[in-house]
Amino acid sequence: MQNSGPQACPCIRCFATFQEDTMTARQKRIWDLLAEHDCLTSQQIAALLHISDRTVRSDIKEINGSQAQEVICSKKGQGYFIDAGHREKRVRTSENGLPEDDLEWVIIRQVLFCRETPYLELADELFISDALLTKMVAQLNRNMTRRHGQPAIIKQNGVLSLSASEEQKRSYYTLYIMNRNVNHYFDMEQFQPFFDIVDLKELKELMFRELDLLRRHLYDTTIVRLLIGTAVMAERAVCGFFMPEMSPDNEPDEDALSTGRHFLEELGSRLFITFPPSEHRYFSRLFQNDFYHVNEKPDSQAQTLLEKILIEINVEYGFDFTIDKEFCHEMTEQLHGALERRRHRQYVINPVLATIKSKYPLEYDIAIFFADRFNNLSGTSLSEDEISLFAIHFIRAMETNLGKTEQKVALVNPYGKQIKELIVKRLEDMGECRFKIAYTWSIFDCPLEMPKDILAVLTTVPLPFQPGEVPVILCRNFLNYHEKEKLLTVVRDSEVNSIRTYFRTLFKPSLFFTDMEFDSRRSAVAFLCGKLREQGYVGPGFLESVMQRESIAPTAFEPGFAFAHAMENNARRTAVCVCVLKNKLPWGEYNVKIIFLFALAPTWNHTTIPIYNVMIDNLFKTNTIYKLAKIRDCRQFMDLLI
């Protein structure tokens, strides 16, 4: 660990004695702290002495000024250390270095580790305007409060503060840095710059030894959560911020308390602190409710909730997930974990959230519907990260025959039953959809006109004629890999053509708007809902249903577009309202340039028209949003989009 404890160099002590006449009592305390540690940040010193961060820096400046030399030096990314002519006492440096130039991180450290942070002084120290500071704090609050339900940083009497308990502050600290590193989630080096005291590499080695002793095997995502949560706990404790005693209702059992007791003793010895009993209790709770927790006995509450919600999903989307017993079992366990995490005020981070939203929009949307009904029935709201974990289960179930459309093909085969059965078997392994051989002919009785309901003709021999406009796939190798790809290409082209045809009924010039300006997400949605209502597509409750959906998880995507829609498919007729904005509009985590508002009637069928997938794939392509935003004609807009 970076804190090496009370091993002060005697010559530094002598140097301190030499300075006693020129230092105030508070400055002497700062000096003594630095003499006992290799390196401390101003925030750590401020927390230990119960003074402001600014006061610490001012006193250090005065100490150096009184000696006409820099006796207390600073190292970017590490903190302050005494250098009374002893260069060997420099703390080892991190390859990455702390993100000191990251203004957002500095703001968070201020409110987490300082007793009070004067607003204007902080703006001056960061060399930014108070208006920019206000904007940055507002952005922080939007992300942390909306996504994780964390308390907001507030400005009161000219001071920034985070009104929160010690447990909430630790949760804030943990969730923030895990979100900052979500794209490098399993690389501890990427997390290290956010910690002043704890060496994450050493902590990981220590934790794995403890897990081996306990014979516990955890998911990698759980291990990352434990490592970062433990590092936050240690960082707070070294700076003098400890957990209060728990109420008897929250007291963990003895088995839980024994978990990691040896680990905390070892960690404390390395940091030269003793963790009090309250920290042992807090640490034991970090080990509860893993990313995926399996019970020996089924959770009856979770089972009952799941059964009720799956019935509604079947009604709304037309998918009966109850026939997949494995899915139901896994969803019950995930529900149980969600209920337990909520009860213990624990949070999860799903590093593939963005991928799920962009690549599996239908399954994610079903998970949002699931979360809304779950909240209605249990009173438990789910975060976006928790919702996306449920979406993974829906993705798995949809990859089975449940979510696949059935495609009919014809087979021309003069070689008999065995070859037909071989091709049938290979059709079962196609993955993207289900295939059914609806018609079988020999080469001698093959009709010139093919049935209208088939997608393609598979033939094991060359045909002497072209059967109309139906694609023909020659399967000389009885549907090997390359021949399968040809068939899947026919499927994909058919879907795109269906979507293009369907789009022409959805996109109308009367529902296409450009160069629009709005002051908020709600005002933009209200305008579009009003236009849909004027033209008879939706009823009076449509706006609130759309905003209800947005409150669970904003429908904005990183390239700069939003896919807004109601909580249910409750429109009178299906249509899409499009709005190209003059200036980008904040929408959850992102700023959007184009808004798509979908009005979906109950008869709209996701299984027939995979509209989301095609649109989102195209919108994620480079420069698509930029090109679309310049178009003022509805037809040209649609042609480029699909």
Side-chain angles (χ1 to χ4, degrees):
M1 301 298 166
Q2 294 179 11
N3 187 338
S4 64
Q7 301 174 358
C9 176
C11 51
I12 291 178
R13 290 291 189 191
C14 294
F15 193 69
T17 303
F18 175 76
Q19 294 193 101
E20 282 185 355
D21 293 337
T22 62
M23 287 194 289
T24 66
R26 187 177 64 221
Q27 290 170 352
K28 290 177 183 177
R29 292 170 67 195
I30 293 174
W31 182 272
D32 288 341
L33 279 175
L34 291 173
E36 293 176 358
H37 298 79
D38 273 346
C39 190
L40 288 175
T41 66
S42 58
Q43 292 97 333
Q44 293 167 336
I45 298 171
L48 291 169
L49 299 182
H50 306 296
I51 57 179
S52 71
D53 180 57
R54 181 181 177 84
T55 299
V56 172
R57 292 199 297 272
S58 297
D59 280 347
I60 290 175
K61 186 176 181 180
E62 288 184 14
I63 292 171
N64 288 335
S66 66
Q67 300 304 312
Q69 59 178 309
E70 194 175 12
V71 293
I72 298 179
C73 300
S74 64
K75 177 67 176 178
K76 183 176 181 180
Q78 302 300 310
Y80 290 100
F81 60 94
I82 294 175
D83 187 24
H86 299 276
R87 296 293 173 182
E88 72 278 6
K89 193 163 172 59
R90 289 185 184 273
V91 67
R92 72 176 185 272
T93 60
S94 166
E95 292 182 3
N96 294 334
L98 257 175
E100 285 188 348
D101 297 330
D102 189 332
L103 302 184
E104 189 177 84
W105 177 238
V106 173
I107 295 169
I108 289 178
R109 292 284 299 190
Q110 285 286 116
V111 298
L112 285 176
F113 286 90
C114 296
R115 302 296 175 182
E116 59 180 30
T117 305
Y119 192 76
L120 295 178
E121 291 183 11
L122 178 60
D124 289 340
E125 291 170 11
L126 298 178
F127 301 102
I128 61 175
S129 67
D130 57 338
L132 179 56
L133 179 57
T134 299
K135 182 179 179 180
M136 294 179 67
V137 170
Q139 180 65 35
L140 263 173
N141 287 337
R142 276 199 305 272
N143 292 341
M144 296 299 292
T145 303
R146 179 197 61 77
R147 184 168 176 181
H148 298 293
Q150 296 298 298
I153 299 173
I154 61 173
K155 175 185 175 185
Q156 192 171 21
N157 299 324
V159 173
L160 276 185
S161 63
L162 184 67
S163 180
S165 65
E166 176 59 23
E167 186 172 6
Q168 287 175 317
K169 287 184 177 180
R170 293 183 183 192
S171 176
Y172 192 105
Y173 193 173
T174 302
L175 291 170
Y176 176 80
I177 62 174
M178 290 179 79
N179 277 310
R180 283 291 302 268
N181 292 283
V182 73
N183 294 326
H184 307 279
Y185 198 74
F186 304 103
D187 185 355
M188 289 297 102
E189 290 186 6
Q190 298 296 326
F191 286 92
Q192 186 60 65
F194 293 87
F195 292 95
D196 287 337
I197 300 167
V198 177
D199 186 314
L200 291 178
K201 183 178 179 181
E202 290 185 19
L203 180 64
K204 183 174 72 171
E205 294 172 355
L206 185 62
M207 181 163 289
F208 271 100
R209 285 204 298 271
E210 184 65 24
L211 290 172
D212 287 342
L213 288 174
L214 296 170
R215 294 182 179 179
R216 296 193 66 171
H217 301 281
L218 306 176
Y219 284 96
D220 288 349
T221 47
T222 303
I223 290 172
V224 172
R225 175 172 61 82
L226 283 174
L227 283 170
I228 302 306
T230 304
V232 167
M233 177 192 74
E235 196 102 344
R236 296 287 294 175
V238 169
C239 291
F241 299 101
F242 294 100
M243 285 291 295
E245 291 296 328
M246 293 181 180
S247 65
D249 294 338
N250 292 326
E251 185 76 14
D253 57 36
E254 186 56 37
D255 289 340
L257 282 173
S258 64
T259 300
R261 184 170 284 156
H262 172 265
F263 172 83
L264 280 188
E265 291 174 356
E266 176 70 16
L267 179 61
S269 68
R270 297 190 182 201
L271 296 174
F272 297 95
I273 64 170
T274 299
F275 289 101
S278 61
E279 293 295 345
H280 282 260
R281 295 185 181 93
Y282 174 77
F283 182 72
S284 70
R285 287 171 55 190
L286 290 180
F287 269 84
Q288 294 174 343
N289 309 317
D290 296 340
F291 172 82
Y292 185 70
H293 178 72
V294 178
N295 285 313
E296 293 182 3
K297 296 181 180 180
D299 186 320
S300 58
Q301 180 190 9
Q303 278 186 331
T304 302
L305 290 170
L306 179 63
E307 290 169 2
K308 292 180 179 179
I309 299 172
L310 291 185
I311 291 173
E312 292 196 54
I313 289 177
N314 192 9
V315 172
E316 191 68 26
Y317 291 92
F319 297 130
D320 184 7
F321 290 96
T322 61
I323 63 176
D324 189 332
K325 301 306 178 186
E326 183 181 358
F327 167 83
C328 293
H329 171 72
E330 292 176 346
M331 283 288 283
T332 300
E333 299 301 340
Q334 191 76 53
L335 269 178
H336 171 77
L339 289 167
E340 287 296 297
R341 279 188 285 273
R342 192 51 128 182
R343 185 165 70 88
H344 291 290
R345 297 186 298 277
Q346 292 180 320
Y347 300 87
V348 294
I349 297 291
N350 186 358
V352 293
L353 169 61
T355 299
I356 290 170
K357 289 181 68 175
S358 61
K359 300 300 182 183
Y360 300 93
L362 172 57
E363 291 87 343
Y364 182 72
D365 196 58
I366 294 174
I368 291 289
F369 182 89
F370 179 93
D372 177 68
R373 295 306 186 262
F374 179 61
N375 187 20
N376 292 341
L377 292 170
S378 68
T380 302
S381 60
L382 301 176
S383 68
E384 282 187 70
D385 293 88
E386 193 85 62
I387 291 170
S388 61
L389 296 181
F390 286 102
I392 292 174
H393 294 286
F394 286 113
I395 292 169
R396 202 280 304 162
M398 297 285 278
E399 289 296 325
T400 65
N401 288 335
L402 179 66
K404 299 174 185 175
T405 57
E406 184 177 81
Q407 300 285 0
K408 293 181 180 181
V409 295
L411 175 64
V412 178
N413 172 40
Y415 300 119
K417 179 181 177 181
Q418 288 73 22
I419 294 298
K420 176 183 177 181
E421 290 181 350
L422 175 61
I423 293 177
V424 168
K425 176 61 179 175
R426 291 180 174 178
L427 284 172
E428 292 175 356
D429 301 329
M430 295 292 282
E432 291 188 20
C433 58
R434 288 177 293 162
F435 288 95
K436 174 184 177 181
I437 297 181
Y439 308 93
T440 304
W441 300 289
S442 75
I443 190 65
F444 300 112
D445 63 3
C446 180
L448 296 177
E449 291 293 329
M450 290 293 172
K452 301 295 184 182
D453 59 343
I454 64 171
L455 175 77
V457 175
L458 306 180
T459 178
T460 57
V461 293
L463 294 182
F465 60 90
Q466 173 62 38
E469 297 181 357
V470 180
V472 176
I473 298 172
L474 180 59
C475 302
R476 291 186 184 276
N477 294 298
F478 313 125
L479 203 64
N480 67 359
Y481 172 78
H482 297 291
E483 293 160 356
K484 283 183 178 182
E485 282 301 306
K486 292 179 181 179
L487 179 56
L488 288 175
T489 299
V490 173
V491 173
R492 294 163 189 153
D493 290 344
S494 175
E495 288 182 345
V496 171
N497 290 333
S498 297
I499 289 172
R500 284 176 176 157
T501 301
Y502 191 61
F503 265 31
R504 298 188 187 281
T505 67
L506 293 180
F507 284 75
K508 297 176 173 59
S510 62
L511 294 174
F512 182 78
F513 306 95
T514 61
D515 296 318
M516 303 299 297
E517 290 187 278
F518 303 100
D519 58 4
S520 68
R521 173 175 50 177
R522 184 180 180 89
S523 62
V525 173
F527 170 80
L528 298 178
C529 288
K531 294 300 180 181
L532 285 168
R533 189 178 178 188
E534 286 176 9
Q535 299 181 40
Y537 288 98
V538 301
F542 188 73
L543 170 60
E544 293 309 318
S545 185
V546 173
M547 296 312 299
Q548 179 188 357
R549 168 63 179 80
E550 290 290 335
S551 68
I552 299 174
T555 54
F557 291 83
E558 186 175 7
F561 65 92
F563 263 25
H565 56 87
M567 196 68 241
E568 300 89 13
N569 297 338
N570 57 2
R572 294 169 181 167
R573 291 184 293 155
T574 297
V576 180
C577 197
V578 182
C579 184
V580 180
L581 301 172
K582 186 174 182 179
N583 300 303
K584 290 185 177 181
L585 180 68
W587 198 295
E589 296 179 65
Y590 307 115
N591 295 318
V592 304
K593 183 69 174 178
I594 303 174
I595 305 169
F596 298 90
L597 176 58
F598 290 81
L600 304 177
T603 55
W604 192 83
N605 192 333
H606 286 81
T607 62
T608 304
I609 309 294
I611 185 172
Y612 278 8
N613 294 18
V614 173
M615 286 185 66
I616 288 179
D617 284 347
N618 289 339
L619 289 167
F620 265 87
K621 292 178 181 177
T622 305
N623 293 329
T624 298
I625 295 296
Y626 173 77
K627 294 176 182 176
L628 288 171
K630 298 171 67 176
I631 297 176
R632 298 296 178 266
D633 178 76
C634 179
R635 185 63 60 186
Q636 293 178 9
F637 185 94
M638 185 183 68
D639 290 342
L640 177 60
L641 177 60
I642 62 171

